[in-house]
Amino acid sequence: MRNSSWTGRLAAVRPADAGRTRELVDLAERTRLLKSITSASVAVPKVGGRRRVASVGVLSGLMAAAACGALVVTGAVPLGGVTGAGPAPTEPVHDVAYVAARTVAAMDDAAHDVIHSKWVPGNGVTFETWELADGSKNHSISVQSDGRIYDDTVMVSSKETVSATVVSYPDHAWWTWSDPVGPDPCRGVPGCHPVPKAPGTLTPDEIRKQLASGELKLLGDGGSVDGQPTVRLTRPSSRRPLTLWVNASTYLPVRVEIINSDGTKSQSDYTWLPPTADNLSQLEVKIPAGFAHSPKPIEPSPAAGGGK
Amino acid sequence: MPDDEHERFERLFHDHYDAVLGYAIARADHVDQAKDAAAQTFLVAWRRRHEVPASARGWLLAVTRRTLADLRRSGERQRSIGVRLATHAEADRTSSRDATAEAVVERDAVRMALSSMTDSDAELLTLVAWDRLNYIEAAKVLGCSRVSFAVRLHRARSRFEAALRSYEASAEAGDAGEEDARPLLTVPASGISWGEGIQ
């Protein structure tokens, strides 16, 4: 009897070994592994500058993982005028922990804002997004390199469903769809706040994680971004280097730049808008006159979409 | 080191080791690579134990995903999902799974459809179907939001189902005795690249 659901059909081709984990690694081997892991120790960076340090053990065969948790020890950097030749700093000397803590506090204060972001992934397409900071609503417009709008989508997320209204400009059509998401595992889980975003950018939660990772270095003065003086932080050593600019006064993130694995740059600029009626209206989709309602989603054609 | 910290980590290890290893095996080039990836995942989790969220599975699998990518880069040339699935297909025929002709043909069609997906689409689909992650966990693995994940999954699922229909139609044409039973894949390329999730 054939399983009719797509998940069931795919589950049937999951490699069989993946279901034999208890045979492949028995209890004794797991116990040895657990012991070897917990006998190793490293410095665990924490926001606020405190650092937990324990003795370093030997973990044969596993130390290559250092790349996943590498510590970056950063020195104190004077903010303001540190780019280029170094004039004597006129402002207090701060370190990355100070900037990280101020940024997190600023984001906490702006938790009800509408975040406007522009994401340029480097493939000629631009995504402009307005999203509620609580993750419940997201409006995104994608524009192709020739300036034509590709699609205009509003997504509303609840604990049970994600529903969307999609306006496809190549198809001159619009449709809606809804998917159940099941019980929300974030319910009651501290610190779990899914926030919508365009992939390749960072959500506020992801920015917080970066700030807490201990992997960011403070570069100091980031120059002007959209007329705002900024402070620049970077994560240079990862597979995809990342640079974050925060407003030097408000400490809210204003720009993220990621170097993709193919060498292209993906840049997002953020504007934090108070939740006024005007700003909230940016979360609504606009269906142009003459666009037809389609009863179901229309698959993009290569000619219309431009391909990958 | 406080005892309760050890106990919490041991519970984390025992609760999630099978999920992490299963995820790795399903995607690694071989079982030893999967074991390495699982071990490294828990080493990272131990080192960063203060950052591991209460709902840990998505966080752990995100680490496993990155670790696997690192292991592959440092080893042989990375194999596509199609090649990896093909190596499992032969083992599948000799396994204890339902080996009726209909079931084998069905699984082959699903494998072919999945192999025709981009790695990005295949990853979305398998996180839900193989690892049974909910949207929030899967989004965490890929480094995107739940909403973005839902959009991408919806599109990937449509492409997968179209590919599957195409392969099934070809198989049925083959059964009916037509000369050219090769699958004719008519699935359009994805419209706009969604780029990569942040690592």
Side-chain angles (χ1 to χ4, degrees), chain B residues 6 130 135:
Chain B
H6 257 107
W130 288 1
Y135 282 21

Side-chain angles (χ1 to χ4, degrees), chain A residues 166 175-177 294-299, chain B residues 154 158:
Chain A
V166 180
W175 58 86
T176 59
W177 60 262
S294 168
K296 61 179 184 179
I298 299 172
E299 274 295 299
Chain B
H154 185 80
S158 299

Side-chain angles (χ1 to χ4, degrees), chain B residues 3 36 38 47 62 64 66 74 88 91 94 107 116 123 139 145 152 163:
Chain B
D3 285 347
D36 283 348
R47 290 172 150 183
T64 313
R66 288 193 295 270
S74 63
H88 291 294
T94 57
R107 288 198 294 269
S116 72
E123 190 166 33
S145 74
R152 296 166 69 185

Side-chain angles (χ1 to χ4, degrees), chain A residues 122-139:
Chain A
N123 61 356
V125 180
T126 301
F127 293 85
E128 187 165 17
T129 300
W130 294 263
E131 57 195 14
L132 283 177
D134 68 2
S136 60
K137 196 167 187 182
N138 168 303
H139 177 205

Side-chain angles (χ1 to χ4, degrees), chain A residues 30-265:
Chain A
R30 290 174 191 219
T31 304
R32 280 195 300 274
L33 174 63
L34 179 60
K35 195 174 174 187
S36 67
I37 288 171
T38 54
S39 66
S41 61
V42 293
V44 180
K46 300 198 81 171
V47 171
R50 286 178 300 164
R51 189 169 288 159
R52 301 171 65 93
V53 182
S55 63
V56 176
V58 175
L59 195 60
S60 173
L62 295 178
M63 296 315 288
C68 299
L71 277 177
V72 176
V73 179
T74 59
V77 176
L79 299 185
V82 295
T83 307
T90 55
E91 294 192 26
V93 173
H94 296 308
D95 63 13
V96 67
Y98 175 87
V99 175
R102 290 291 303 265
T103 303
V104 169
M107 291 168 67
D108 286 344
D109 288 344
H112 301 292
D113 280 9
V114 174
I115 304 170
H116 174 233
S117 61
K118 216 165 188 181
W119 175 45
V120 183
N123 61 356
V125 180
T126 301
F127 293 85
E128 187 165 17
T129 300
W130 294 263
E131 57 195 14
L132 283 177
D134 68 2
S136 60
K137 196 167 187 182
N138 168 303
H139 177 205
S140 180
I141 299 175
S142 58
V143 181
Q144 297 177 111
S145 54
D146 58 8
R148 287 182 301 158
I149 295 177
Y150 180 74
D151 64 15
D152 185 346
T153 304
V154 164
M155 299 200 65
V156 179
S157 172
S158 72
K159 290 184 172 66
E160 286 78 29
T161 59
V162 173
S163 56
T165 301
V166 180
V167 181
S168 172
Y169 278 71
D171 297 310
H172 283 73
W174 64 278
W175 58 86
T176 59
W177 60 262
S178 183
D179 271 350
V181 295
D184 185 350
C186 273
R187 196 179 300 162
V189 179
C192 182
H193 304 292
V195 178
K197 70 167 186 101
T201 69
L202 295 186
T203 64
D205 271 356
E206 288 164 342
I207 290 173
R208 288 170 197 268
K209 283 181 193 165
Q210 291 297 326
L211 293 166
S213 70
E215 296 175 8
L216 292 180
K217 290 174 71 172
L218 181 62
L219 295 180
D221 184 2
S224 174
V225 172
D226 293 335
Q228 309 167 76
T230 63
V231 178
R232 191 162 54 125
L233 303 104
T234 188
R235 187 190 66 178
S237 57
S238 69
R239 186 167 69 87
R240 299 179 66 203
L242 174 152
T243 305
L244 169 69
W245 285 259
V246 302
N247 184 301
S249 301
T250 66
Y251 286 92
L252 284 170
V254 294
R255 175 173 286 173
V256 168
E257 182 183 274
I258 298 165
I259 308 296
N260 298 312
S261 50
D262 62 2
T264 57
K265 281 183 187 173

